[in-house]
Amino acid sequence: MSLLVLVKSNDCPLCDEAKTMLNSLSNSLVEFEEQDIYSVRELHTKYWDKIPVLLKNNQELLWPFNEEDIQKFNSLD
């Protein structure tokens, strides 16, 4: 299992929804950390209009996604 990075911002309802999905999976299937889009210029430049975004090993999963999409993305190498 790899670590996923949730690129998000505060006051973002879609980001909250993505975090809820990740939390529901995280106990057994998914490990993740949050990264605020405003904390790293590269993230902001690349994803400001796409959040929430999941990152893993130089791969990205753009919104919209669901729990099944997250599981598939997490299983990629």
Side-chain angles (χ1 to χ4, degrees), residues 45-60:
T45 300
K46 189 169 184 179
Y47 299 118
W48 69 272
D49 61 341
K50 295 173 179 65
I51 59 171
V53 176
L54 283 175
L55 303 176
K56 175 188 166 189
N57 300 332
N58 297 318
Q59 299 175 61
E60 57 189 27

Side-chain angles (χ1 to χ4, degrees), residues 28-42:
S28 59
L29 301 173
V30 176
E31 185 177 341
F32 76 99
E33 67 181 28
E34 299 175 45
Q35 178 76 55
D36 188 278
I37 194 163
Y38 297 106
S39 66
V40 178
R41 187 180 249 343
E42 276 182 42

